[in-house]
Amino acid sequence: MRLAASLGACLALGAAWLRVVCAGSAMGDRLLVLVPTAEAAGGYSELLGSLAERGFDVSVRAASNSSVALHVDGRRQYDHAVLLAPAAKRLGAALTAHSFVRFVDDGGNLVVVGSSDMSDQSRKLAAQFGVVFEKHGSRVVDHSHHLVTDGTGDHAVVAASRLAAVPAVLSPQLLEAPGTVYFRGIGHRYDPSNPLLTPALTGAPTTYSDLSGDEVLSGRQLGLVSVFQTRRNARVAFSGSADLFSDAFMRTTQSRNRQLVHDITQWTFQEKAVLREVARRHYLAATGMQPEHYRVSNDMVYEIDLSVYYDDAWRPYEADDVQFEAIMLDPYIRTTLNRTRSSGPAATYRGDIRLPDRYGTFTFRVNYKRTGLANVDVKDTVAIWPLRHDEYPRFLSAAYPYYTGSFVMMVGFLALCAAWLWSAEPSKPVTQAKPATQVKPATQAKPATQAKPATQAKHTAKSKPKSS
Ligand SMILES: *[C@@H]1O[C@H](CO)[C@@H](O)[C@H](O)[C@H]1NC(C)=O
Ligand SMILES: *[C@@H]1O[C@H](CO)[C@@H](O)[C@H](O)[C@H]1NC(C)=O
């Protein structure tokens, strides 16, 4: 019965809310909305209704209510918060800029809304995220693009249309539909090189912020709505206009406020573009097993499964830019993984990788950060060992010149020996043969000398004194 009722509510709301899908958040449904006074909440009935229909457990509280706290006993009380009371001078005792920063550090998602008369506390909070709102009392003005009702134009209600093409945050319905976003409030400065901060809506060339001082903030530098994602994937959205969220602006003809607010809140409250790693594996290509340690130049396989959350479910994340790195101080390998299959809620990315010919402690890392998407940064530390003495290949291709050298040397030596041993001596002239014939008489004479040993001994005995 409840399911049927909520389905019916979804369908009824879908008609009102331009192709809205009933989706829950990937992380939790406790939502705190801080409004200036209980009566003021009536001006945001479309927003509050939409949030309730999307499955959030919405608590609307006056900003000055001192019993509202984001943390109780160190535990986060809400998953999401909307600070829709820009001018409130006195927030509840437990609601300081510091407590909101702590809330975000702790994984909470936050929408911060400003206005021309916004409080120092909200400014201080925004500045923590690199969003610097303009001076107190300044307004965003556009003399060419503004709201015209009954022939009279209000130059402070800017008809903004410069939306950032960030598909993870803004839906195609918003980016492609005609119309403008009405904005009455204060602009902010942002640092375009800040990788965590993404301007979603900026000024047109004719839009500027009055009371800017020497350097007038205008055009693309003038932030109207920006979104921020921390490294731990908590999300914060900033809008310089509270009216942007109001029923009045949503109901203005040709207004895209409803869709923009829907997209921004959906993104901020983790109802879409939430990416996560489901599983990862690495193993030797030869055995299919993960070894205790790899050896240099091993062929291995790295696989990672990625899921993305949107429309109330985890689905395979399909992209062609998921990279793998093997790092030891510097990346030795950085390669794009191939998507191999999408089964169930995850898509698998695979790389067939030959490890570097270098031993040490490596980190296998997939560091996937894309604007608007939740960050995936996973690391595994692995050891790569050198080969054991008996694991080297018998012959190294690089050493072939040396092998050739030694074999040539050996062959040369043998050839020289052979040449020396078997070469016939050149035939000699006749005179050289005489000594050979003279030897014969000597050997023949031997028996004769042996016959007279006595005479020889006498002769040597006689000659001895002569020599000494
Ligand atoms: C203040 O907040 C508490 C809950 O945090 C709520 O019970 C109470 O009704 C609120 N008071 C007012 C005046 O809104
Ligand atoms: C991806 O697939 C192509 C074609 O099969 C292959 O050449 C390439 O090496 C693969 N990349 C990785 C990292 O495995």
Side-chain angles (χ1 to χ4, degrees):
M1 274 303 286
R2 257 190 82 191
L3 191 77
S6 64
L7 206 71
C10 269
L11 291 176
L13 208 88
W17 269 78
L18 310 163
R19 280 180 275 166
V20 165
V21 185
C22 279
S25 164
M27 69 170 273
D29 57 6
R30 297 170 302 170
L31 171 65
L32 172 69
V33 180
L34 291 167
V35 289
T37 57
E39 299 79 59
Y44 303 103
S45 62
E46 289 225 19
L47 170 68
L48 298 176
S50 150
L51 291 172
E53 288 302 332
R54 271 148 58 189
F56 289 104
D57 173 14
V58 184
S59 315
V60 182
R61 298 279 182 266
S64 56
N65 186 337
S66 54
S67 58
V68 176
L70 297 170
H71 285 87
V72 171
D73 296 336
R75 298 198 21 216
R76 192 154 48 73
Q77 295 300 296
Y78 301 96
D79 301 307
H80 320 282
V82 184
L83 185 51
L84 202 51
K89 285 276 176 298
R90 231 179 44 79
L91 292 179
L95 299 175
T96 57
H98 176 75
S99 73
F100 283 104
V101 171
R102 183 168 160 228
F103 175 74
V104 174
D105 276 344
D106 204 8
N109 304 302
L110 182 63
V111 175
V112 178
V113 170
S115 67
S116 295
D117 54 352
M118 73 190 286
S119 66
D120 285 346
Q121 200 158 22
S122 301
R123 269 167 209 285
K124 220 188 284 174
L125 172 58
Q128 295 284 327
F129 297 92
V131 172
V132 181
F133 280 102
E134 285 283 88
K135 265 191 281 187
H136 188 86
S138 83
R139 301 171 307 162
V140 175
V141 177
D142 193 320
H143 300 302
S144 317
H145 309 95
H146 49 256
L147 179 67
V148 179
T149 38
D150 308 328
T152 54
D154 183 350
H155 293 205
V157 180
V158 175
S161 56
R162 195 178 257 177
L163 293 158
V166 188
V169 181
L170 303 179
S171 61
Q173 289 96 304
L174 179 70
L175 295 173
E176 286 156 20
T180 51
V181 175
Y182 292 106
F183 182 99
R184 175 168 58 204
I186 193 167
H188 62 256
R189 290 170 194 274
Y190 62 91
D191 177 2
S193 63
N194 185 344
L196 306 177
L197 187 67
T198 310
L201 181 69
T202 54
T206 50
T207 313
Y208 68 96
S209 173
D210 65 355
L211 299 182
S212 256
D214 296 341
E215 196 193 327
V216 174
L217 196 58
S218 70
R220 224 179 265 286
Q221 277 122 42
L222 174 62
L224 303 179
V225 177
S226 294
V227 295
F228 185 100
Q229 182 172 254
T230 67
R231 293 195 197 282
R232 292 172 67 191
N233 296 334
R235 293 170 175 181
V236 190
F238 298 93
S239 160
S241 167
D243 292 319
L244 186 104
F245 295 83
S246 68
D247 294 350
F249 277 23
M250 284 195 197
R251 290 170 186 159
T252 308
T253 49
Q254 283 283 296
S255 147
R256 287 196 285 182
N257 288 42
R258 183 177 287 133
Q259 187 69 54
L260 177 69
V261 169
H262 179 252
D263 287 354
I264 293 285
T265 53
Q266 247 201 342
W267 181 83
T268 308
F269 300 151
Q270 315 256 354
E271 287 171 76
K272 65 177 181 183
V274 184
L275 191 62
R276 73 165 182 198
E277 167 257 346
V278 179
R280 61 185 191 272
R281 304 165 284 284
H282 56 88
Y283 49 85
L284 278 171
T287 62
M289 307 280 281
Q290 181 180 337
E292 215 168 288
H293 48 76
Y294 290 93
R295 299 272 186 194
V296 294
S297 305
N298 269 169
D299 287 314
M300 53 86 68
V301 177
Y302 186 90
E303 286 185 318
I304 185 165
D305 299 341
L306 296 177
S307 261
V308 64
Y309 184 89
Y310 60 91
D311 290 354
D312 221 358
W314 290 99
R315 296 155 203 272
Y317 176 71
E318 299 188 347
D320 53 10
D321 58 353
V322 180
Q323 288 190 317
F324 164 86
E325 289 172 319
I327 304 167
M328 185 170 69
L329 296 185
D330 293 321
Y332 278 75
I333 296 174
R334 181 181 289 140
T335 182
T336 303
L337 299 177
N338 290 324
R339 181 154 47 82
T340 50
R341 63 174 184 276
S342 299
S343 57
T348 301
Y349 293 81
R350 175 190 167 112
D352 294 283
I353 289 150
R354 166 157 297 178
L355 290 175
D357 188 5
R358 191 69 199 259
Y359 61 86
T361 304
F362 277 75
T363 303
F364 289 169
R365 183 175 191 192
V366 172
N367 181 12
Y368 191 75
K369 293 186 174 130
R370 296 292 179 272
T371 305
L373 282 175
N375 301 325
V376 170
D377 187 0
V378 293
K379 293 175 196 173
D380 297 295
T381 304
V382 298
I384 300 185
W385 286 18
L387 294 178
R388 270 205 319 260
H389 70 280
D390 58 350
E391 282 179 334
Y392 284 98
R394 174 61 69 209
F395 294 108
L396 300 171
S397 58
Y400 275 120
Y402 303 102
Y403 303 148
T404 320
S406 19
F407 280 109
V408 165
M409 173 88 185
M410 283 188 253
V411 170
F413 177 72
L414 290 176
L416 186 72
C417 289
W420 187 67
L421 281 176
W422 280 289
S423 61
E425 279 188 56
S427 49
K428 309 252 159 75
V430 185
T431 51
Q432 275 187 314
K434 267 183 182 168
T437 51
Q438 278 173 333
V439 172
K440 272 176 187 172
T443 52
Q444 275 179 332
K446 263 187 185 170
T449 53
Q450 278 175 336
K452 318 174 192 173
T455 54
Q456 251 190 342
K458 271 180 198 167
H459 179 74
T460 50
K462 278 177 190 170
S463 60
K464 258 183 188 171
K466 274 181 192 172
S467 61
S468 63

